[in-house]
Amino acid sequence: MTLDDITNDAINQDRGREFELHDPVSGTPTGIKLTIAGPDSETSHRAHLALADELAEMADRDGRVSAEHRERARLNCLARHVLRWDIIEDGRPVPFSHANVLRLLKVQWVQQQIDAFAADRSAHRVA
């Protein structure tokens, strides 16, 4: 592996990789596809910086951040890794927006799958 290989890998991770959600019980594909930036991408770096800023803004005078606020900031960070999606609801495409990604992330198993994929370097490596 060369220095160029390493830097190109990080650049490629900003393009994101397609990930399809799977039913948490049966394991069957749901048809919901998201493009997610990799853990070494600039997108991920910016998302984590924004997380730190959000937590700092949420802190009280003693520097404490409630669990509820930490969770909100964590979900915002995870949502920033989603670059686009292909979701149909009532026969129409669901508009892609940060608010709509957060709506999807309200479901625990969805969070877990997206978080695991976003952190998986091997899933983002271009062969």
Side-chain angles (χ1 to χ4, degrees):
M1 182 175 278
T2 66
L3 178 57
D4 281 342
D5 292 335
I6 294 168
T7 57
N8 287 336
D9 181 56
I11 291 167
N12 285 330
Q13 288 188 31
D14 259 318
R15 293 184 184 106
R17 300 290 280 189
E18 186 174 271
F19 172 74
E20 185 168 1
L21 288 173
H22 286 73
D23 181 280
V25 177
S26 69
T28 58
T30 63
I32 295 175
K33 297 177 182 175
L34 305 103
T35 301
I36 301 173
D40 299 314
S41 65
E42 184 61 29
T43 300
S44 180
H45 178 70
R46 285 191 311 268
H48 285 95
L49 289 175
L51 170 64
D53 286 343
E54 276 185 66
L55 291 172
E57 289 173 15
M58 293 173 173
D60 64 17
R61 287 184 190 186
D62 297 324
R64 292 182 303 232
V65 180
S66 71
E68 181 180 340
H69 285 120
R70 284 193 310 271
E71 179 65 1
R72 186 178 318 141
R74 184 187 71 79
L75 289 177
N76 276 326
C77 180
L78 184 56
R80 289 182 184 103
H81 285 78
V82 180
L83 303 174
R84 56 192 162 278
W85 67 17
D86 181 14
I87 301 178
I88 305 296
E89 190 172 289
D90 298 326
R92 303 169 101 165
V94 176
F96 178 77
S97 69
H98 187 77
N100 279 341
V101 174
L102 288 173
R103 181 176 148 217
L104 180 62
L105 290 174
K106 286 183 180 180
V107 180
Q108 289 293 315
W109 65 265
V110 171
Q111 281 179 42
Q112 291 168 353
Q113 288 185 30
I114 293 173
D115 197 15
F117 187 79
D120 185 357
R121 284 182 173 85
S122 65
H124 290 87
R125 176 74 48 93
V126 176

